[in-house]
Amino acid sequence: MIKFSIERDRLLKALMLVSGAVEKRTTLPVLSNVLFDITESQLLLSGTDTEIELQYTLEVTSVEKPGKITIPAKKLIDICRSLNDGTEIKFSQQGEKVVIASGRSRFNLATLPADDFPSAKDECPDLEFQIERQALIHVLQYSHFAMANQDVRYYLNGLLIEIIGDALYCVSTDGHRLAIAELKLEQEIQTSKMILPRKGCLEMIRLINDVEDEFVLIQQTENHFLLKTKNTQFVSKLVSGKFPHYRRVIPTDNDKHFLVDRDLLKKTLSRVSILANEKCRAVTFNVSRIKRPVLSKASAGLPCSAALKIELKS
């Protein structure tokens, strides 16, 4: 039996974070719940869909009876949202139900046993290192968008993280496009490869954008990828399979190079893509030289007597 109090704003923030891992459509009812693990002074919230797991630790106002319980995630979030900012929420378990009270409001929710809640097993990490949070966000943002979605080649439905010496590479491809982002590490680390599932990658990006830690800790075990901050822990199963040799498809003898103003190219693409095919969203690049410069930044590095003219067609 549990009984404790917590501030509404801090609880809602933690619930919104861990709810990303909660399974919304499942045949296992406990996966729709959030696990509350209350100790003498802290509350550990956990959400999982058995593929990824998110945990958040926060301080509680007061604890009368510690313990464990699982509560429906969506209904609890809706209740917290309906309450006024800065209010205190009191939780007390009565049999198989939990009573949530705040001011003159009172809610009864059915619970499920905490023992039925699945949790990732602790494994000894094979790899462990720290990385700057903002640098990790950068390489993930510039690489994750090329991941496949529901491809029969299941290893493409995820992001490859490859470590070679003092460089970390994030790579994704759907068979038609390839994105690679490189990050230099402060020290050399043992060579490693791991494939994160699509959902795990997206939830990790959301997580590290929400926290404020300067550095995050990354661990790799035989079957899992772990990311830890001061108050949060993210665990994801690794995708088994062999990622394609992406370096082989990168042209090495390409003699066609040009510079172009980034903002101008972005605006032009957005206009032309309006009439592009909705399935492939393809456009045609027609690159040619002209006698006089027309793009001040695009002509940088080119001979003074020539510049580039780029025509885009849908």
Side-chain angles (χ1 to χ4, degrees):
M1 297 296 177
I2 65 164
K3 192 173 183 180
F4 69 98
S5 302
I6 189 170
E7 187 183 346
R8 174 259 188 194
D9 297 347
R10 292 193 296 117
L11 176 61
L12 181 58
K13 178 183 176 181
L15 285 172
M16 293 302 296
L17 191 145
V18 302
S19 65
V22 174
E23 187 65 45
K24 297 174 178 62
R25 298 178 182 177
T26 177
T27 56
L28 194 61
V30 73
L31 294 183
S32 299
N33 287 14
V34 171
L35 174 66
F36 280 62
D37 186 355
I38 304 101
T39 62
E40 296 296 333
S41 60
Q42 288 185 331
L43 167 62
L44 174 64
L45 292 176
S46 301
T48 184
D49 63 356
T50 70
E51 184 180 84
I52 65 173
E53 181 179 355
L54 280 168
Q55 296 182 344
Y56 193 100
T57 304
L58 66 162
E59 300 293 327
V60 294
T61 305
S62 65
V63 178
E64 295 184 32
K65 296 180 181 179
K68 293 183 180 181
I69 193 174
T70 71
I71 303 174
K74 186 178 183 305
K75 291 182 179 179
L76 181 57
I77 290 174
D78 290 341
I79 290 172
C80 291
R81 282 175 171 168
S82 69
L83 300 175
N84 295 329
D85 296 347
T87 56
E88 187 177 271
I89 305 177
K90 298 179 180 180
F91 289 79
S92 59
Q93 186 178 1
Q94 297 179 3
E96 296 182 354
K97 292 187 177 182
V98 62
V99 178
I100 304 170
S102 179
R104 299 178 64 180
S105 301
R106 186 181 178 91
F107 306 88
N108 292 337
L109 291 180
T111 65
L112 290 173
D115 294 338
D116 296 341
F117 192 85
S119 182
K121 296 180 180 179
D122 292 333
E123 299 177 274
C124 183
D126 301 321
L127 177 69
E128 180 177 303
F129 63 95
Q130 276 194 332
I131 188 171
E132 190 179 357
R133 182 179 65 89
Q134 288 292 346
L136 180 59
I137 291 175
H138 178 82
V139 291
L140 289 174
Q141 291 285 8
Y142 278 84
S143 59
H144 82 282
F145 60 88
M147 291 186 296
N149 188 15
Q150 296 182 344
D151 196 296
V152 293
R153 297 164 294 182
Y154 59 91
Y155 46 82
L156 297 185
N157 300 319
L159 179 82
L160 171 69
I161 298 179
E162 182 178 31
I163 301 172
I164 303 176
D166 64 345
L168 181 146
Y169 300 90
C170 291
V171 187
S172 67
T173 179
D174 59 5
H176 301 283
R177 56 183 180 171
L178 173 69
I180 305 174
E182 178 184 358
L183 172 64
K184 286 294 183 181
L185 303 174
E186 295 182 355
Q187 59 183 5
E188 289 193 5
I189 302 175
Q190 67 186 69
T191 301
S192 177
K193 286 184 179 182
M194 43 189 156
I195 305 176
L196 269 66
R198 180 184 178 86
K199 181 180 178 181
C201 178
L202 297 177
E203 286 301 323
M204 181 174 67
I205 292 174
R206 187 174 70 91
L207 167 65
I208 59 179
N209 272 295
D210 286 344
V211 300
E212 299 178 354
D213 301 54
E214 184 179 357
F215 289 90
V216 297
L217 178 68
I218 290 179
Q219 294 179 336
Q220 179 190 3
T221 67
E222 183 178 357
N223 301 307
H224 293 89
F225 170 92
L226 293 87
L227 183 143
K228 298 180 180 180
T229 68
K230 181 180 178 181
N231 296 318
T232 64
Q233 176 173 288
F234 166 81
V235 184
S236 173
K237 283 186 178 179
L238 296 176
V239 177
S240 59
K242 191 173 182 180
F243 201 83
H245 294 284
Y246 63 92
R247 297 183 188 275
R248 293 180 181 177
V249 302
I250 301 175
T252 56
D253 57 350
N254 188 12
D255 59 351
K256 297 177 176 61
H257 304 275
F258 61 90
L259 297 173
V260 64
D261 185 286
R262 180 181 64 88
D263 293 333
L264 180 60
L265 179 61
K266 181 179 178 180
K267 292 177 181 178
T268 307
L269 281 170
S270 65
R271 294 167 186 160
V272 175
S273 63
I274 295 172
L275 300 180
N277 185 288
E278 292 184 0
K279 291 184 178 180
C280 62
R281 306 287 292 176
V283 297
T284 301
F285 278 69
N286 184 7
V287 184
S288 60
R289 287 184 180 273
I290 59 176
K291 291 184 179 180
R292 60 184 182 84
V294 293
L295 305 176
S296 58
K297 294 181 181 179
S299 59
L302 296 174
C304 295
S305 60
L308 289 172
K309 178 183 179 182
I310 303 176
E311 296 179 357
L312 299 182
K313 299 178 180 179
S314 63

